[in-house]
Amino acid sequence: MNTKDVLKAKQPALFYSSFINKSAPAKLTLGVVFTLFLSACQPTDGVSDGAAVNTEGAVDHQALAPERRQTIEALAGVPLQQLVSFDPQEIKQGGDTGISISSAESYSKPSSNLTASRKGSFFIGNAFFRQPWVIAPASTDSRDGLGALFNVAACQSCHVKDGRGHAPMSMDDDADSLLIRLAMPATTDEQRQQLQNSLIEKVAHPMYGGQLQDRGIQGVPAEARIAVQWTDKTVTFTDGHVETLRAPTFNLTKPGYGPFDDELMVSPRVALPMIGLGLLEQIPDEDIKKQAIDNNNNSDISGKFNWVMDPQTGKHALGRFGWKAGQTKLLTQNQSAFNEDMGLTSNIRPHESCMPTQTACVKATTGADEQGDGRPPIEVNDEVAKFVEFYTRNLAVPHRRNADDKLVLAGKKRFYDMGCQSCHTPRYQLPKTDDDHLEQHGQVIYPYTDLLLHDMGDDLADRTIAGKLPPKDAQVEFLANSYEWRTPALWGIGLAQTVDPQATFLHDGRARTLMEAVLWHGGEAQKQQKKVLNLDKQGRAELNAFLKSL
């Protein structure tokens, strides 16, 4: 039965039950597509021997701690062996919200279960997401107020076709889809206490704040220019195959407001894809927290959740969005991006993204409109904010391709046998809640993420402006340090470079291919990275086929 036949099946539950087996584990940590690899099993046709895989055989349960396996099965509602076998339900990674499109438009379509009466909100939100904002004053009153300091003029400039970004390829390239977050180490007991209790996100630089803005409107100097240099690094597999990785060195040149402090911590981050965010938002907090508990019983994995201050409510909440899981929900994520990336104010972020010492920025004309009721004037009103939230909540996840292919299933078996699901939790059953997120209610989804923070090792850690590794107790985004990254969802990753050929992987865009991303894993994924290096040519092809099918 091919993929199309499965999608047309009249009785999916009966068809599905014929594939029940017992599944397995997956281990990984952030980045983008990582750890997945290989383990010994029995060969199948077209599958390598030494690292061979039997796609119908039992999974190596020793790859996971028993508590972790039990949690994964509880979240999925099925045994692990069923997950590692061909699962026709998994073709629809985004459940009934998903779409069957494998083109440059794969990330830009609305949830397929969006009713006609709700599509208008999606397309209005899309317009505000795509169209550039302009400098005030302007005749386009609904979209003026860009800057005074900013990175881009439109959300789409970072998320090209709603996809992932890339790092500058040379010293002359613009960094449109990559930004630099900044943080200073705590120097007082009060700052340390505030960070430990998540009362503040970070210690901002007194002159440059918490994010570098590399553009300014006329009369307002940009904060700096982002430059990157690449250094090749070769990695050799056991069979002699050589993979050339590239390591970035980021520099901030032409500082507009004085020299940078040597201890300033610098965090380059490419734009993340926009698909499936509404589904991730519906995963219950307790489902994420329980994974932090069971991960900590595994000597190799110690995932933790970020506990952050919600800027809308002023209360603590679980972080789940962004590379460091520093945002609680889509509404606050969007408003923070409007503010820090584009210099736009809203009711959630009502202050311009200027430091008090940046006088030209502070004095610049804004596009803020009065709200009345004693509230401060803002540039992004609540109506616009809700349209953009609805749009970002309902960008559909593309269906998997070739999910029943023998090579893909062999690669999937490797992924599970290595314990990659220790971090890339495969499947969730979403609840039906009392909100208006109708499209996401009750969906069974396959995002491959635990939404937790994991230590990815020194190679992937951020550096200071002087190029040194920060201490591990230096918090840079609420509870997250420079070594920790949130596990990214893997759904749709096989189409990333179909959507945008320039798309790259990992938080700083250093990985040009999925295999490069895997090979950069360290820290909690060090064992997986070493196992990957034992893959022969066939094993590498199997792993790559599975990832590209997602």
Side-chain angles (χ1 to χ4, degrees):
M1 178 176 288
N2 61 30
T3 296
K4 291 182 179 178
D5 293 332
V6 172
L7 290 174
K8 293 177 181 177
K10 298 292 185 183
Q11 296 180 329
L14 295 176
F15 180 79
Y16 178 68
S17 65
S18 67
F19 290 90
I20 292 180
N21 227 308
K22 248 197 179 165
S23 171
K27 161 179 187 162
L28 224 57
T29 126
L30 307 203
V32 111
V33 45
F34 331 136
T35 47
L36 338 91
F37 338 120
L38 164 72
S39 178
C41 299
Q42 333 255 348
T44 55
D45 295 341
V47 178
S48 57
D49 320 306
V53 177
N54 177 358
T55 59
E56 298 299 326
V59 176
D60 178 10
H61 287 293
Q62 294 181 354
L64 291 182
E67 297 90 345
R68 181 66 180 132
R69 185 177 70 249
Q70 291 166 10
T71 299
I72 289 172
E73 291 181 331
L75 294 174
V78 297
L80 278 172
Q81 188 63 47
Q82 183 167 321
L83 294 174
V84 76
S85 304
F86 171 55
D87 179 358
Q89 191 169 8
E90 188 181 351
I91 293 169
K92 293 185 175 183
Q93 298 178 97
D96 292 335
T97 71
I99 54 169
S100 291
I101 297 179
S102 301
S103 71
E105 301 300 316
S106 293
Y107 289 0
S108 298
K109 300 299 182 182
S111 300
S112 61
N113 60 349
L114 194 65
T115 62
S117 62
R118 288 165 69 88
K119 282 186 178 178
S121 295
F122 179 89
F123 291 114
I124 294 172
N126 183 21
F128 280 105
F129 192 88
R130 290 175 180 269
Q131 293 174 7
W133 289 68
V134 297
I135 299 168
S139 58
T140 53
D141 187 57
S142 63
R143 289 187 292 106
D144 70 339
L146 179 69
L149 288 167
F150 64 102
N151 297 111
V152 292
C155 307
Q156 189 74 196
S157 299
C158 287
H159 304 275
V160 178
K161 295 183 179 178
D162 302 292
R164 68 180 59 247
H166 64 275
M169 295 299 294
S170 70
M171 297 285 285
D172 299 322
D173 281 353
D174 288 327
D176 281 356
S177 59
L178 173 143
L179 56 79
I180 302 287
R181 301 302 301 275
L182 307 172
M184 293 292 290
T187 56
T188 68
D189 289 341
E190 181 183 10
Q191 288 175 340
R192 282 186 278 271
Q193 194 66 43
Q194 288 176 321
L195 286 169
Q196 288 170 12
N197 294 328
S198 292
L199 297 175
I200 57 173
E201 176 188 350
K202 64 179 66 175
V203 177
H205 189 279
M207 187 63 78
Y208 290 97
Q211 179 171 310
L212 188 87
Q213 279 99 18
D214 59 348
R215 290 185 171 97
I217 66 173
Q218 187 173 5
V220 180
E223 291 184 327
R225 181 172 176 80
I226 301 169
V228 61
Q229 295 175 307
W230 299 101
T231 303
D232 286 348
K233 174 184 176 180
T234 58
V235 177
T236 304
F237 286 75
T238 302
D239 68 355
H241 173 74
V242 176
E243 195 84 25
T244 301
L245 310 181
R246 59 174 192 168
T249 300
F250 286 90
N251 296 299
L252 304 183
T253 65
K254 301 180 180 179
Y257 299 87
F260 296 106
D261 300 76
D262 284 349
E263 64 269 29
L264 177 66
M265 294 175 283
V266 177
S267 183
R269 303 186 193 177
V270 298
L272 283 160
M274 300 299 298
I275 56 173
L277 299 183
L279 296 166
L280 296 180
E281 189 173 38
Q282 288 292 101
I283 296 173
D285 287 1
E286 292 308 312
D287 287 356
I288 299 171
K289 289 179 179 179
K290 72 175 62 170
Q291 297 185 78
I293 295 169
D294 66 43
N295 263 341
N296 287 331
N297 291 322
N298 181 333
S299 59
D300 298 321
I301 302 297
S302 56
K304 72 182 188 185
F305 58 86
N306 207 352
W307 194 237
V308 313
M309 182 65 73
D310 187 309
Q312 183 182 30
T313 65
K315 297 179 180 179
H316 287 110
L318 184 82
R320 66 179 70 209
F321 292 115
W323 281 108
K324 300 282 189 185
Q327 295 291 337
T328 59
K329 52 185 179 284
L330 284 175
L331 187 64
T332 58
Q333 166 73 20
N334 294 342
Q335 301 319 295
S336 295
F338 270 132
N339 189 253
E340 295 176 320
D341 302 355
M342 300 165 69
L344 299 170
T345 56
S346 65
N347 276 320
I348 292 176
R349 299 291 298 268
H351 304 295
E352 294 287 342
S353 58
C354 310
M355 295 302 289
T357 50
Q358 297 171 331
T359 55
C361 181
V362 172
K363 294 178 180 179
T365 302
T366 75
D369 297 316
E370 294 292 339
Q371 302 185 85
D373 299 326
R375 294 184 297 173
I378 57 172
E379 292 156 330
V380 180
N381 63 43
D382 287 348
E383 187 177 19
V384 170
K386 288 178 181 178
F387 282 129
V388 175
E389 179 197 16
F390 191 86
Y391 174 72
T392 56
R393 189 201 308 161
N394 279 296
L395 282 162
V397 177
H399 294 334
R400 287 187 62 191
R401 289 83 46 217
N402 307 314
D404 56 349
D405 180 83
K406 187 175 291 187
L407 194 69
V408 168
L409 289 171
K412 185 180 186 182
K413 179 69 161 55
R414 295 184 186 282
F415 181 97
Y416 278 79
D417 277 342
M418 292 310 306
C420 302
Q421 69 271 45
S422 284
C423 300
H424 286 280
T425 305
R427 168 172 154 151
Y428 295 85
Q429 299 184 90
L430 300 184
K432 291 186 177 180
T433 54
D434 59 1
D435 55 33
D436 71 339
H437 299 194
L438 307 181
E439 294 73 25
Q440 291 76 35
H441 285 175
Q443 298 299 323
V444 175
I445 61 171
Y446 295 77
Y448 287 92
T449 175
D450 60 8
L451 296 176
L452 296 176
L453 296 168
H454 294 274
D455 185 334
M456 294 297 294
D458 291 357
D459 282 345
L460 291 182
D462 289 327
R463 299 304 202 262
T464 67
I465 195 73
K468 296 182 179 179
L469 284 168
K472 288 201 171 183
D473 63 355
Q475 293 168 227
V476 298
E477 192 164 333
F478 293 107
L479 300 183
N481 66 28
S482 294
Y483 301 75
E484 294 171 325
W485 302 100
R486 187 208 63 167
T487 309
L490 299 185
W491 53 14
I493 201 166
L495 292 170
Q497 291 173 336
T498 299
V499 170
D500 181 5
Q502 295 188 88
T504 51
F505 307 102
L506 297 180
H507 68 277
D508 56 10
R510 70 177 65 195
R512 295 158 294 189
T513 66
L514 300 181
M515 183 57 75
E516 285 186 29
V518 172
L519 294 174
W520 274 114
H521 278 61
E524 296 174 30
Q526 187 68 51
K527 287 185 178 179
Q528 281 64 40
Q529 191 254 21
K530 289 180 179 179
K531 297 281 180 68
V532 175
L533 292 174
N534 289 325
L535 289 172
D536 60 10
K537 182 177 180 180
Q538 181 68 24
R540 294 190 292 270
E542 292 162 4
L543 176 59
N544 198 51
F546 169 64
L547 295 176
K548 288 198 168 184
S549 78
L550 294 174

